[in-house]
Amino acid sequence: ERHAPEGVVPGAEGIRCGCRRAPDCLHRASVASAAPVADPAAASCRAAAAVLEAGTDGAGAVLQAELLRAAHTARLSGLPRAAGRAVAVVTALRAARAGDPDYRVTDLTAALRDVLVLAHRLPDATGPELAGLRGSVRQPYSPDGSLRLYGVFAEPVLSATGYAGAVTWTADAAGRLYTVSDVAPGGAERATGAADRAVRLGDTALTHRELSRAGLAVSGATVSPTGRLGAGTGVRAVRASGVGWSAEPLDRLWAVPVSEQISRALGDDRDGGEAREDRDLLFLDVTLVGTVREAAGECLVADCGGLRLRLAAAHDHPTLPHRENLRLLASVPGARLRVVARLTPGPLPRATLLAVSHPT
C-alpha cells in the first residue's frame, strides 16, 4: 500500500506491506523504486537555479554545498544521473573560479541544463522514461554479435573531475560509431600517454593511436546505449585493415548534410535515455578563411558550404598539442580540410576541433 497525499510519498512510512518480512521486505523497495520522485528533483532544481542566478563569481562554497547536498539526496533516492550532473556543475564551478586552463563554459552550461531538465521531467515520468531519467551507476552492455570496425580518430581525455586517458572512435560498414575507451583517474601525463597504450578489447595489441588508422574484427561484441564497446571476457578482437576518410565506409560520415548533423547535435532525448557519445560530433568539409580572437584565445574561422564557422581548440592544457596545432593551421589560409569537430552551442556557429585531414 502506498500512501501518497497530493501524489507525493512523504517518507518510508508512506509505503506499507502486509507480508511477514515487512518492513524490511523487497516489496516495499520495489514500490519505492517505481514511485515518481519529487523531493530530490525539487532540491536539485532549487540549488541549480541559485547557481544560475549567482553566476560563477557568486557561486561560492555555500551554493556549491547546496548542490552537493542535492546530489547526495539524489544518489540516496536512486537517481545516479541527476547526482552525477549536479557534481559535474560543482566541479565546473570550482574549475572556473580557480582559473583552470581546461575550464570551458560549455561544460558548465551543459551540466546546469541537464540538472534543470532532469528536475523538471523526473516528477511526472513513469515507465521506461523514468528508468532512463534515473540513470544507472554502471552502463549496461548488450550483445551486438560480430562487428567489422574502421578506425576514425582518437582523442585525449583530460577532465576537470580528475580523469584522463584516450577514446578511439570507430565506425562499422553502415557508418554507425563505436568507442573504445581507456579513461581512469589521472592528469595530463596520462592523457598524453594513453594514445600509445594497447586498447582493452579482446586479444588485440593495437594502441589507440594505431587503431585510429587501422581496423578491428570483433566477435561477441557488447555495446552500451551510448555506443561504448565492452571489454568482457567473451569479446574477441583482432587487427584488420583500415581505410582513409575519403573511402567507404567512412566517407559516408561526411556525406550527411551539415544541417542534419547540427539538428542531431542539438536534439533532446525525449525517451529519457542516455545520449549517445557521438551525438554532438560534426563531420565537416571546410576551407580555412582566417582567425579571430576570443576571450579564451585565438580560434580559426572556416567556410563550411557557405556557413562561417569558428573552430576552437578542444583543450588548452599546455601539455596537449591542440593550441599549437591550431596555430599551425592558421598559417595556411585557404587550405581545404576534412575535419571532425564537437559542436559547442552558443550565439555564433562554433565547434572544437578534434581531428583534421592533411591540408590540400
Side-chain angles (χ1 to χ4, degrees), residues 61-151:
V62 173
L63 291 185
Q64 292 175 30
E66 287 297 319
L67 256 179
L68 291 175
R69 187 178 297 111
H72 181 66
T73 302
R75 189 175 293 109
L76 291 178
S77 302
L79 302 173
R81 187 176 176 188
R85 297 313 284 158
V87 172
V89 172
V90 174
T91 301
L93 282 172
R94 290 175 176 174
R97 292 169 63 86
D100 190 322
D102 283 324
Y103 163 73
R104 291 197 176 277
V105 67
T106 51
D107 294 339
L108 175 57
T109 54
L112 263 175
R113 173 189 176 276
D114 289 347
V115 171
L116 292 169
V117 169
L118 288 168
H120 175 71
R121 293 172 60 184
L122 272 166
D124 299 321
T126 58
E129 183 190 14
L130 177 59
L133 292 172
R134 286 181 183 276
S136 59
V137 177
R138 295 179 65 89
Q139 288 197 41
Y141 286 82
S142 304
D144 204 19
S146 297
L147 297 172
R148 174 63 168 94
L149 302 175
Y150 301 84

Side-chain angles (χ1 to χ4, degrees), residues 258-280:
V258 175
S259 59
E260 185 177 324
Q261 295 189 53
I262 293 175
S263 295
R264 178 197 65 215
L266 295 175
D268 184 21
D269 285 333
R270 283 295 165 193
D271 61 359
E274 294 284 341
R276 281 186 58 87
E277 294 178 336
D278 61 348
R279 190 180 73 172
D280 57 356

Side-chain angles (χ1 to χ4, degrees), residues 39-58:
D39 287 350
S44 297
C45 185
R46 286 193 298 270
V51 168
L52 192 62
E53 183 177 358
T56 54
D57 290 339

